[in-house]
């Protein structure tokens, strides 16, 4: 069995986990990030970095590095009704200092964070490392154990374990964390098409009989999401492919070609519009951040931004307490105290 000792063990190599690992490693802390998947190639995750995140990245000295990666800049958003434009908003009016949102595929963003962190000798990332157990002593969390690549057992001991493993967090389940509130009122049914000629690559809200979002997807695609009440997608499927195709046409005329070519439901990816705020993000030696602590609505494209900001705060709060054994809950609770208002308002809104 592989057994290691680090100051910080981060479970989850998403935006929050890798950002936390990078920021702690820059300060010289020894960090191990455990990512359950073998690679970053997964679809339909948060890929819009809002102006507030550009501001934060600038303060961290990472903005120009991030903007050097393949991306699109969104300077405005538009509203359509049954395929016709009816309004728009400009980021320059909302955030004049950073008058854009950055649309970057999450695999590109995560790979960029990993490349930035890997040169630090105190940083490590294990891919394909799934956590199956929390290690506890006298009621304090002192590490984790699990399997790499489905067959290699490992054990990691640390001053703090940070659960950054997303909305279906294994760490939150293993730690017995309970939600303060949880809502699942809608789902988003995602699919992707190539941008038609002359299409303006920006953020669209589509109103009308069928409602949803249309987002630019790097390099020349549209990521579309139909918003449905919880459970309604099952009914759509039961109505058959032809009925779904007709509803996709009503979503917006630009999807007519996509609808004409539908033969089954494989192009669609349903995502639960789950909103959850964990009551207490901490235990002695354990902290939850990102979607593990505050699952945001996918409709607002803000979840990744709130998670990154929470990771930055967590790095500031964790670092001074490293090197003296499990970090006490009272110290870790500062992260929740500082970030819960933003997470709560974003989730409810």
């Amino acid at each position: 069995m592989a057994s290691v000792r680090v100051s910080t063990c981060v479970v989850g190599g998403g935006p929050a986990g890798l950002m936390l690992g990078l920021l702690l490693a820059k300060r010289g802390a020894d960090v191990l990030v455990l990512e359950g998947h073998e690679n970053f190639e997964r679809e339909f995750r948060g890929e819009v970095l809002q102006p507030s995140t550009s501001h934060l990245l600038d303060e961290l000295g990472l903005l120009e590095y991030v903007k050097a990666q393949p991306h699109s800049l969104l300077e405005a958003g538009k509203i359509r009704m049954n395929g016709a434009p009816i309004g728009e908003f400009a980021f320059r009016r909302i955030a004049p200092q950073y008058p854009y949102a950055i649309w970057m595929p999450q695999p590109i963003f995560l790979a960029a964070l990993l490349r930035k962190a890997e040169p630090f000798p105190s940083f490590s990332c294990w891919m394909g490392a799934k956590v199956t157990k929390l290690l506890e002593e006298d009621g304090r969390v002192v590490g984790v154990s699990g399997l790499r690549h489905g067959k290699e057992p490992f054990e990691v001991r640390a001053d703090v374990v940070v659960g950054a493993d997303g909305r279906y967090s294994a760490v939150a389940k293993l730690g017995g964390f309970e939600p303060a509130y949880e809502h699942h009122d809608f789902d988003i049914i995602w699919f992707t098409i190539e941008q038609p000629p002359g299409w303006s690559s920006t953020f669209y809200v589509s109103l009308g009989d069928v409602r949803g979002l249309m987002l630019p997807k790097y390099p020349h695609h549209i990521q579309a999401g139909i918003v449905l009440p919880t459970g309604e997608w099952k009914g759509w499927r039961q109505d058959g492919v032809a009925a779904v195709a007709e509803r996709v046409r009503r979503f917006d005329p630009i999807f007519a070609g996509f609808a004409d070519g539908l033969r089954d439901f494989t192009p669609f990816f349903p995502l639960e519009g789950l909103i959850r705020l964990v009551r207490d993000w901490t235990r002695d030696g354990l902290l939850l951040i990102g979607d593990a602590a505050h699952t945001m609505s996918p409709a607002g494209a803000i979840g990744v931004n709130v998670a990154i900001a929470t990771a930055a705060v967590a790095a500031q709060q964790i670092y001074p307490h490293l090197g003296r054994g499990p970090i006490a809950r009272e110290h870790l609770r500062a992260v929740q105290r500082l970030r819960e208002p933003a997470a709560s308002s974003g989730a409810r809104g």
Side-chain angles (χ1 to χ4, degrees):
M1 174 187 292
S3 182
V4 299
R5 177 74 170 83
V6 293
S7 65
T8 305
C9 176
V10 181
V11 182
L18 284 177
M19 180 61 75
L20 175 60
L22 167 60
L23 295 178
L24 287 174
K26 285 180 68 174
R27 298 186 179 196
D30 51 325
V31 183
L32 174 59
V33 177
L34 304 175
E35 167 53 40
H37 293 83
E38 299 288 347
N39 57 56
F40 296 132
E41 297 299 325
R42 296 185 293 288
E43 290 285 351
F44 302 112
R45 299 177 301 174
E47 297 186 334
V48 177
L49 303 179
Q50 303 280 6
S52 60
T53 300
S54 292
H55 186 189
L56 175 60
L57 292 172
D58 204 3
E59 290 185 332
L60 296 174
L62 294 170
L63 181 59
E64 293 309 311
Y65 171 73
V66 169
K67 288 173 66 176
Q69 315 306 317
H71 70 282
S72 301
L73 287 183
L74 312 183
E75 298 179 347
K78 300 185 179 183
I79 303 172
R80 286 162 72 88
M81 172 76 78
N82 298 322
I86 61 171
E88 70 175 67
F89 63 87
F91 281 112
R92 68 177 181 274
R93 297 176 183 170
I94 302 170
Q97 189 175 0
Y98 301 91
Y100 53 79
I102 301 172
W103 184 272
M104 180 178 294
Q106 199 170 108
I108 291 176
F109 182 61
L110 296 180
L113 290 180
L114 186 59
R115 284 196 307 273
K116 197 72 171 176
E118 284 179 327
F120 294 103
S122 61
F123 177 89
S124 296
C125 179
W126 291 358
M127 302 298 291
K130 291 184 179 293
V131 169
T132 58
K133 182 180 179 182
L134 297 179
L135 304 180
E136 301 185 44
E137 294 178 357
D138 300 323
R140 303 178 302 174
V141 175
V142 297
V144 297
S145 62
L147 292 175
R148 288 190 74 185
H149 314 304
K151 58 185 178 181
E152 303 168 12
F154 67 83
E155 181 177 287
V156 180
R157 291 184 171 261
D159 294 338
V160 63
V161 172
V162 180
D165 50 341
R167 59 173 50 203
Y168 304 113
S169 170
V171 172
K173 291 177 182 177
L174 292 169
F177 290 90
E178 297 180 351
Y181 62 80
E182 184 173 273
H183 302 290
H184 180 197
D185 299 330
F186 69 94
D187 297 319
I188 298 185
I189 315 303
W190 293 112
F191 61 94
T192 300
I193 68 166
E194 290 190 11
Q195 288 184 6
W199 181 256
S200 176
S201 182
T202 191
F203 178 98
Y204 291 84
V205 176
S206 183
L207 306 175
D209 183 28
V210 179
R211 301 186 173 198
L213 309 170
M214 292 179 283
L215 313 172
K217 185 173 180 63
Y218 185 88
H220 303 296
H221 291 77
I222 297 172
Q223 179 175 317
I226 297 174
V227 179
L228 294 177
T230 301
E232 191 163 320
W233 175 239
K234 181 179 179 180
W236 278 32
R237 289 174 61 103
Q238 291 173 345
D239 292 339
V241 173
V244 171
E246 178 55 32
R247 289 163 182 156
V248 169
R249 292 186 190 95
R250 296 207 307 269
F251 180 26
D252 198 282
I254 65 164
F255 301 123
F258 169 80
D260 292 343
L262 275 178
R263 298 293 178 266
D264 54 38
F265 299 111
T266 55
F268 297 103
F269 183 92
L271 178 65
E272 293 179 336
L274 182 67
I275 300 171
R276 179 196 296 121
L277 181 70
V278 172
R279 188 178 310 280
D280 191 334
W281 304 0
T282 61
R283 288 179 50 188
D284 287 333
L286 178 60
L287 168 69
L288 300 181
I289 65 171
D291 272 1
H294 44 72
T295 306
M296 317 297 287
S297 166
I302 59 173
V304 64
N305 299 274
V306 176
I308 290 170
T310 301
V313 170
Q316 290 180 315
Q317 298 301 317
I318 287 172
Y319 181 76
H321 301 287
L322 294 174
R324 299 190 292 272
I327 299 179
R329 178 183 181 183
E330 63 198 61
H331 299 311
L332 297 174
R333 290 187 72 179
V335 178
Q336 182 172 357
R337 186 176 67 252
L338 292 167
R339 291 299 303 155
E340 187 173 43
S344 180
S345 62
R348 293 183 186 274

